[in-house]
Amino acid sequence: MNTKDELAKAYDPKPVEEKWGKFWLDEGLFVADPKSPKPKFSMVLPPPNVTGILHMGHALCFTLPDIITRWKRMQGYNCLWLPGTDHASIAVHNVIERSLAEKGLTREKIGREEFLRIAWDWKAKYGGAITGQLKKLGASLDWSRERFTMDPGFSRAVKQVFVSLYDEGLIYRDYFLVNRCPHCRTVLSDIEIEHKDLHGKLWHIRYAVEGSDESVVVATTRPETMLGDTALAVHPEDERYAHLHGKRVILPLQNRPIPVITDERVEREFGTGAVKVTPAHDPVDFELGKKHGLEQVIVIDGSGRMTEAAGPDFAGLDRFACRAKVVEKLSEQGLLVKVEAHDHAVGHCYRCKNVIEPHLSWQWFVRIKPLADEAIRVVEDGSIEFIPANWAKTYFEWMYNIHDWCISRQLWWGHRIPAWYCRDCGRIMVAMEAPAKCDKCGGALDQDEDVLDTWFSSALWPFGTLGWPDETEDLEAFYPTDLMSTGFDIIFFWVARMIMMGLKFRGRIPFRHVFINGLVRDLKRRKMSKSEGNIIDPLEMIDKYGTDALRFTLAALAVPGMDLALSEERMAGYQAFANKIWNASRFVLMNLGEERPAVREAELTFADRWIRSRLAEVTAELSSSLEQYKFYEGADLIYHFIWHEFCDWYIEFAKVGLREGNRTTAAVLADALDRILRLLHPFMPFITEEIWQHLPGTGKSITVADFPRPEPGWRDEALERDMALVQEVVEETRKIRSENKIAPREKIKLILVEGHAKRTSNASGKATIIRTESEILRGLTGAAELEFCEAMPAGDDLLKGVTGPCEIGIIPPKPTDLGPERERLQKEIAKVEAETAKIERKLENIDFVAKAPAAVVEENRTRLEELRARREKLGQNLAKVGAAS
RNA sequence: GGGCGGUUAGCUCAGAGGUAGAGUAUCGGUCUUACAAACCGGGGGUCGCAGGUUCGAGCCCUGCACCGCCCACCA
């Protein structure tokens, strides 16, 4: 890259992001090589829906793993991060059927073939939107391996899995009561139902006992289903109803006799203790019906309308309209005893939010227990780890109580179930390819109309994308993957099923770590939704603050497993951070030529050694944070280091050296920046690449540069402690200046009173610190004249005697009010005294001295001494100021 | 009904049994030649409540309150 062109004064992300985003892809820097001898690190991207447009959830889901992948890549791993999209049956249906409805059409009117043509067209046209947006986030995905859950290879994998499971008896077909969404007109699995507590009613209805004047009152939340009642149930030991055993009651409105049955599952305390039984429309009743051999009368169809069986008064009515009418009729006939308010949970469709309807029909199921048992084991034995670990509990909770999985959907967009039915003998044939005719009777065959649950195919994502069922190079090289990063909302939908299918079809876990990220919420902690109007659009944020700022914000807020409240202010803060780095880099580059100067050990200044020591420490800490997926911690670390150590202190120190023409300082500055950029790169890929390319002596791309390792020789804790003293002196000086309203320009005289000697450093360190200290005091505080207290020995080296924290006083440059300084000292004294008292109390406590670890006791003693010494010096200073006034 | 989180500065959140932190906001002061998207300084806290363990608790234990989420067949 051209190192000569100057950096603009302020950072402008747009051209930079465009340039390097393209460069990385053109150069194939993220393309994985299955033959590489390097250790591998692989992930598959949770495929976004083709219908999707980028939202903050995506931004988070792509940023966090991208940080990991970039970090691993820089560490020399052969990284594969495989992208793709999901066909999202129901979501696509919703989109297309809505547009059909606008033209007065339905999918049934245009037919399956035409519908699928439209769907594929739509996918081709809009399905790419999400991938284009993804690239803007700078996610280092291997686009050469992009997949789609309905591409031919993946479809083959899906069929293969279905056929195998069917052959093994793990997939079966059954006539069963399932959840159906009347709006989406398909059945759903149990976890696709959202339970919401609603304020409902409990209607008490009188049923006459056959052949007597007696009656029984039942309570129900769904009066319309009574039309399909085929029994009345009471508890066998409920004495109130003992005389009804074996009798029949007359179903009102239908005037049909139904038997009274007894079952332990009836709660005597609830309602009247007598319950109507509707086997075709209630899950419990369905089971009761099976147990007691009851008839199943379907009175509500798949669209939520009443059937002929509901009787002429109700047939054709919508279920809710029917409810009103039933209640009305019962009331007219005096059979409605009372109506109570009653809160209860009602199932809603997770896609369209309509109330779901229990629906009796033929469906396909996965017999899940045998698969779940293995999947439980691999988490129990630690083969798969959840991060944070307590999500494993959620996983177990569901897995232990898992129910068979209904996988058929009455939709067209998706993987059509590879099952054929013989028109003549009804035989079912399941195969990869359509059989020509029935292998039993030779009859013609019809393929099952339904498609598979989208999640059935997603479950195969970690190996289906790598070429399975073929034993490909990629599959060999990259399965199992190392990390699955996703939201807790799809642990059941997706994570659990991937584990089950991975174990079943690869015999190995699909991934080692499951990182659970939280939900992105707004500042009021509400979920972002269109209807709330609180959406923060990532593309808008990128436009406004830059991708790096967005990424850094998400990382800084990402505490594992916790929801994060996104704030635009914060993002603006990280935009400023990018600008800060930019300007710091400008300063560094200004002080470099075409070549990077070499470091000469002998010329290293105190500050140079200090920043190297800090760098070694921060490098180690950052790696440790990333290893634990503590993105917030890593972000915080690097942010603080760059802004408040590198910029605020080191660059200021370096100016002293640079002014004197110290080329080693220039070299250290350049080297530190180089390392900083590499440390920061996983978080802020674009700006770091841009600056790095301007630094002399770097390589092809920072994406494949070495991630820094802590230099073992650089860490120097004693030196860091000395620097802390220097910083204390400087900060105290600034404080005094500020409180006395002394302008930076004005020269002041400082009085340094030597502190206690406890924190003495080694002799050579002292010499250095003293020199640096003078530099800094001049350079940073503008104090040209230093004056030291009487106790200080006079001599050439003004600060020779300073060995510990210093109390600083000032002699104002001109007569001025010393009141503020006096107040400051008094406040400081009060603080010191309060703390002294606290520690004294502690040390007077015999138990504390006896039982606390010796080191802690010693620490407190030292601290007490420090405080007492400090109190004394403060007193001396106060006396001086007091005397001056 | 069962389970899981949360409650720390005005706001958003970190926090490792041993001196309560960050960002931001706020107040005051600075154009100190990398950066006003900046610099310097200040103020701001009974760590939800009540007990307990401990020499010592924001942190561990018990109970309670409130907020949020997940699961669940009292119709």
Side-chain angles (χ1 to χ4, degrees):
Chain A
M1 281 296 116
N2 187 355
T3 58
K4 275 184 224 159
D5 51 2
E6 297 239 325
L7 297 186
K9 199 166 171 182
Y11 176 56
D12 179 12
K14 263 176 222 146
V16 170
E17 289 172 9
E18 215 161 285
K19 175 170 61 170
W20 297 114
K22 184 168 182 304
F23 174 81
W24 295 331
L25 295 187
D26 289 350
E27 296 291 318
L29 289 164
F30 306 143
V31 175
D33 172 12
K35 293 195 186 74
S36 166
K38 296 194 239 170
K40 71 92 188 176
F41 179 84
S42 60
M43 294 193 295
V44 288
L45 178 81
N49 288 352
V50 279
T51 50
I53 45 159
L54 194 74
H55 57 68
M56 271 303 165
H58 292 125
L60 182 71
C61 272
F62 304 143
T63 296
L64 301 184
D66 189 50
I67 290 171
I68 298 292
T69 306
R70 285 181 182 270
W71 174 55
K72 290 281 179 187
R73 191 177 291 112
M74 290 174 79
Q75 284 178 309
Y77 284 83
N78 174 33
C79 290
L80 168 63
W81 190 15
L82 188 148
T85 47
D86 191 290
H87 65 279
S89 294
I90 296 185
V92 168
H93 270 262
N94 285 349
V95 169
I96 294 179
E97 293 192 47
R98 208 177 306 133
S99 78
L100 285 178
E102 280 165 18
K103 295 176 211 149
L105 292 171
T106 64
R107 76 173 192 239
E108 286 79 6
K109 272 187 199 160
I110 62 169
R112 185 171 200 132
E113 231 173 274
E114 176 63 5
F115 182 89
L116 285 178
R117 197 190 55 74
I118 295 173
W120 278 107
D121 278 356
W122 187 90
K123 189 256 168 191
K125 211 164 161 189
Y126 302 106
I130 186 86
T131 54
Q133 293 170 334
L134 269 182
K135 287 177 187 168
K136 286 199 142 191
L137 285 168
S140 59
L141 292 153
D142 182 351
W143 291 102
S144 73
R145 286 180 167 81
E146 181 181 358
R147 297 297 299 268
F148 175 55
T149 51
M150 270 169 69
D151 66 33
F154 209 85
S155 297
R156 190 160 65 97
V158 172
K159 267 190 267 184
Q160 174 77 58
V161 165
F162 187 94
V163 172
S164 306
L165 291 176
Y166 178 80
D167 289 344
E168 262 191 79
L170 292 173
I171 281 183
Y172 63 93
R173 194 166 175 260
D174 195 12
Y175 191 65
F176 202 80
L177 192 69
V178 290
N179 312 294
R180 185 173 165 105
C181 173
H183 175 261
C184 298
R185 279 168 301 141
T186 179
V187 301
L188 300 166
S189 66
D190 293 342
I191 50 175
E192 285 165 303
I193 307 308
E194 289 174 355
H195 292 274
K196 284 188 226 166
D197 278 328
L198 295 185
H199 303 299
K201 287 184 177 130
L202 198 55
W203 284 271
H204 292 246
I205 305 167
R206 189 179 303 280
Y207 287 29
V209 177
E210 190 183 37
S212 87
D213 297 335
E214 256 194 284
S215 63
V216 190
V217 175
V218 302
T220 180
T221 53
R222 299 199 56 196
E224 70 280 14
T225 62
M226 67 159 294
L227 300 169
D229 283 2
T230 54
L232 185 140
V234 296
H235 193 277
E237 282 152 30
D238 191 336
E239 287 166 12
R240 291 173 296 174
Y241 301 115
H243 63 290
L244 293 179
H245 295 184
K247 299 221 167 127
R248 300 203 295 183
V249 295
I250 305 297
L251 182 63
L253 305 182
Q254 300 285 61
N255 291 319
R256 170 152 64 75
I258 54 173
V260 175
I261 59 167
T262 61
D263 199 286
E264 265 101 30
R265 290 179 69 172
V266 177
E267 292 283 337
R268 276 172 282 187
E269 284 70 40
F270 188 87
T272 60
V275 59
K276 60 191 263 328
V277 183
T278 323
H281 295 288
D282 180 275
V284 182
D285 295 4
F286 174 70
E287 282 177 32
L288 286 180
K290 275 196 157 176
K291 187 171 156 191
H292 296 276
L294 301 176
E295 203 190 333
Q296 299 162 326
V297 178
I298 296 176
V299 290
I300 304 170
D301 70 13
S303 311
R305 267 192 299 278
M306 306 311 289
T307 63
E308 294 298 325
D313 286 345
F314 308 103
L317 282 180
D318 173 78
R319 53 192 169 150
F320 295 114
C322 177
R323 176 178 299 178
K325 195 161 180 188
V326 164
V327 170
E328 188 192 316
K329 292 254 173 196
L330 288 169
S331 183
E332 279 170 14
Q333 296 180 21
L335 296 174
L336 189 63
V337 179
K338 65 170 170 177
V339 186
E340 288 176 318
H342 180 67
D343 294 350
H344 63 141
V346 178
H348 293 70
C349 172
Y350 81 134
R351 301 291 334 179
C352 72
K353 312 298 175 192
N354 280 284
V355 174
I356 65 109
E357 192 59 45
H359 180 70
L360 196 54
S361 51
W362 280 101
Q363 302 296 339
W364 290 92
F365 295 87
V366 174
R367 198 181 306 284
I368 207 83
K369 264 269 175 321
L371 298 170
D373 287 344
E374 278 297 284
I376 289 168
R377 190 182 52 77
V378 293
V379 177
E380 273 175 347
D381 71 15
S383 306
I384 294 179
E385 269 176 67
F386 278 80
I387 296 134
N390 58 319
W391 283 107
K393 269 192 169 177
T394 305
Y395 172 82
F396 288 135
E397 193 67 30
W398 187 65
M399 292 295 271
Y400 287 141
N401 303 305
I402 201 165
H403 299 298
D404 281 0
W405 174 15
C406 176
I407 49 170
S408 41
R409 298 288 180 272
Q410 289 67 55
L411 301 169
W412 291 342
W413 176 246
H415 298 102
R416 192 159 175 183
I417 291 174
W420 287 263
Y421 307 99
C422 175
R423 286 179 196 170
D424 299 333
C425 70
R427 177 175 168 70
I428 301 173
M429 296 176 70
V430 169
M432 292 292 286
E433 303 301 334
K437 55 185 194 319
C438 176
D439 62 358
K440 199 164 144 203
C441 73
L445 300 169
D446 293 310
Q447 186 170 7
D448 196 298
E449 291 293 322
D450 292 352
V451 299
L452 289 164
D453 182 0
T454 306
W455 296 103
F456 185 88
S457 52
S458 324
L460 320 180
W461 194 241
F463 54 93
T465 50
L466 295 172
W468 190 90
D470 294 334
E471 290 297 328
T472 61
E473 259 184 339
D474 275 5
L475 195 58
E476 175 64 29
F478 300 114
Y479 189 95
T481 65
D482 295 272
L483 172 64
M484 169 52 59
S485 173
T486 189
F488 58 77
D489 50 331
I490 51 176
I491 290 178
F492 306 149
F493 281 106
W494 197 43
V495 175
R497 286 160 177 174
M498 280 190 287
I499 296 175
M500 290 191 271
M501 292 301 188
L503 287 169
K504 182 69 191 169
F505 290 95
R506 292 306 298 157
R508 300 171 73 185
I509 53 170
F511 30 71
R512 271 284 296 136
H513 288 170
V514 181
F515 176 80
I516 301 296
N517 59 251
L519 245 50
V520 182
R521 295 172 178 276
D522 72 2
L523 263 181
K524 292 176 186 153
R525 309 208 60 85
R526 295 175 306 186
K527 271 188 192 179
M528 291 189 188
S529 74
K530 275 184 203 154
S531 51
E532 289 277 347
N534 63 342
I535 301 257
I536 303 178
D537 175 9
L539 294 174
E540 205 183 308
M541 294 301 108
I542 286 173
D543 197 47
K544 227 164 141 183
Y545 304 104
T547 304
D548 287 332
L550 170 64
R551 288 171 57 111
F552 203 86
T553 307
L554 292 170
L557 293 172
V559 177
M562 296 276 293
D563 288 353
L564 51 96
L566 190 65
S567 94
E568 223 180 302
E569 270 175 7
R570 187 102 180 216
M571 221 168 320
Y574 291 128
Q575 181 197 25
F577 177 51
N579 196 54
K580 185 75 181 173
I581 297 160
W582 184 257
N583 277 294
S585 304
R586 283 179 60 219
F587 175 80
V588 174
L589 291 169
M590 267 168 48
N591 286 285
L592 287 178
E594 296 287 302
E595 308 263 316
R596 242 199 262 190
V599 169
R600 290 189 198 162
E601 287 291 323
E603 287 173 12
L604 285 170
T605 65
F606 176 71
D608 293 339
R609 291 186 204 278
W610 174 75
I611 197 66
R612 287 179 150 211
S613 178
R614 293 300 306 139
L615 209 35
E617 173 68 2
V618 166
T619 300
E621 285 175 354
L622 180 62
S623 294
S624 148
S625 295
L626 288 178
E627 258 150 36
Q628 300 167 70
Y629 303 103
K630 290 186 178 176
F631 298 99
Y632 67 100
E633 197 181 75
D636 204 52
L637 252 164
I638 191 78
Y639 175 90
H640 186 268
F641 176 70
I642 292 176
W643 200 317
H644 299 301
E645 296 195 276
F646 183 70
C647 293
D648 286 355
W649 291 100
Y650 180 64
I651 286 187
E652 297 306 321
F653 293 161
K655 284 175 183 172
V656 179
L658 290 172
R659 233 178 278 142
E660 290 164 6
N662 185 335
R663 296 313 288 157
T664 287
T665 288
V668 171
L669 205 49
D671 181 62
L673 178 64
D674 187 342
R675 281 166 190 270
I676 281 169
L677 292 171
R678 282 180 280 143
L679 290 173
L680 182 64
H681 175 74
F683 296 88
M684 293 188 145
F686 294 106
I687 190 173
T688 49
E689 178 81 281
E690 173 71 11
I691 299 168
W692 199 74
Q693 297 281 355
H694 279 84
L695 265 180
T698 54
K700 175 180 183 180
S701 167
I702 195 170
T703 60
V704 289
D706 284 341
F707 196 78
R709 269 177 270 268
E711 297 290 336
W714 286 7
R715 193 77 213 285
D716 185 342
E717 290 178 50
L719 184 141
E720 286 193 26
R721 276 196 300 274
D722 286 344
M723 180 57 90
L725 297 188
V726 173
Q727 289 173 328
E728 259 179 62
V729 171
V730 171
E731 279 165 355
E732 281 298 303
T733 310
R734 286 173 180 163
K735 202 162 146 184
I736 291 164
R737 202 185 258 288
S738 169
E739 280 168 4
N740 292 284
K741 310 256 186 278
I742 299 165
R745 278 279 174 77
E746 276 181 282
K747 303 276 190 261
I748 57 168
K749 287 185 179 176
L750 288 177
I751 306 169
L752 270 86
V753 181
E754 185 191 356
H756 64 91
K758 275 295 171 191
R759 283 201 273 168
T760 312
S761 55
N762 61 47
S764 62
K766 208 190 305 174
T768 322
I769 187 176
I770 288 160
R771 210 185 68 225
T772 311
E773 198 171 323
S774 334
E775 287 167 4
I776 291 162
L777 289 174
R778 288 194 200 96
L780 297 190
T781 68
E785 294 175 70
L786 300 173
E787 185 178 299
F788 300 92
C789 74
E790 299 76 10
M792 299 293 298
D796 293 337
D797 196 338
L798 287 174
L799 288 169
K800 194 155 58 187
V802 176
T803 54
C806 303
E807 283 308 325
I808 304 165
I810 57 152
I811 294 173
K814 52 197 171 208
T816 181
D817 178 19
L818 281 172
E821 174 65 355
R822 205 158 44 232
E823 265 172 47
R824 185 187 77 83
L825 288 167
Q826 278 160 348
K827 244 162 86 181
E828 199 65 28
I829 286 171
K831 234 191 253 176
V832 168
E833 284 180 345
E835 217 183 320
T836 305
K838 208 166 118 190
I839 295 180
E840 278 173 348
R841 239 177 291 134
K842 226 184 214 182
L843 287 167
E844 280 160 17
N845 182 344
I846 300 163
D847 285 329
F848 173 72
V849 179
K851 292 183 185 170
V856 173
V857 177
E858 190 48 37
E859 213 178 286
N860 276 277
R861 290 214 169 103
T862 309
R863 178 141 176 77
L864 184 61
E865 270 179 63
E866 278 177 7
L867 285 166
R868 282 177 176 161
R870 186 131 192 263
R871 170 67 185 80
E872 203 186 321
K873 305 303 172 203
L874 283 164
Q876 288 173 11
N877 282 1
L878 183 62
K880 260 188 200 121
V881 174
S885 65

